Amino acid sequence: MSDIVNLRQFKKRKARDEKEKAAAENRIRHGRTGAEKKFEREQARKTGEFLDRNRLDPATPHPGKAGDEDA
């Protein structure tokens, strides 16, 4: 004889297993370690500082800018 299976419980267990499998895939795909996050923040800070230090003065005209009158 085979065991009697409660279909409601079977469906719920199957849904939980699928949800856990999707969560595990998302953790692998989107998860980052604290060191990786810190490195990315540091790189963004350094890039911002570099751009700020090398910013052109907005008062000086840019040589390739369209609409220059001296051309």
Side-chain angles (χ1 to χ4, degrees), residues 24-44:
E25 290 174 0
N26 285 337
R27 282 192 295 271
I28 292 170
R29 184 178 303 127
H30 300 292
R32 295 182 302 165
T33 64
E36 290 171 331
K37 291 176 186 177
K38 183 178 177 183
F39 176 76
E40 187 175 318
R41 283 193 304 266
E42 185 66 20
Q43 287 298 107

Side-chain angles (χ1 to χ4, degrees), residues 5-6 9 11-12 18-21 25-26 28 38 41-42 49 51 56-57 63-64 68:
V5 177
N6 186 332
Q9 291 176 346
K11 288 177 185 178
K12 285 184 178 183
E18 289 175 0
K19 192 173 183 179
E20 178 57 35
K21 182 180 175 186
E25 290 174 0
N26 285 337
I28 292 170
K38 183 178 177 183
R41 283 193 304 266
E42 185 66 20
E49 287 179 1
L51 291 174
L56 295 175
D57 185 22
D68 284 342

Side-chain angles (χ1 to χ4, degrees), residues 55-62 65:
R55 187 177 307 270
L56 295 175
D57 185 22
T60 55
H62 299 290
K65 193 172 183 181

Side-chain angles (χ1 to χ4, degrees), residues 3-18:
D3 293 333
I4 298 174
V5 177
N6 186 332
L7 292 179
R8 179 180 51 83
Q9 291 176 346
F10 177 78
K11 288 177 185 178
K12 285 184 178 183
R13 186 174 336 135
K14 184 178 177 184
R16 277 194 302 268
D17 291 343
E18 289 175 0

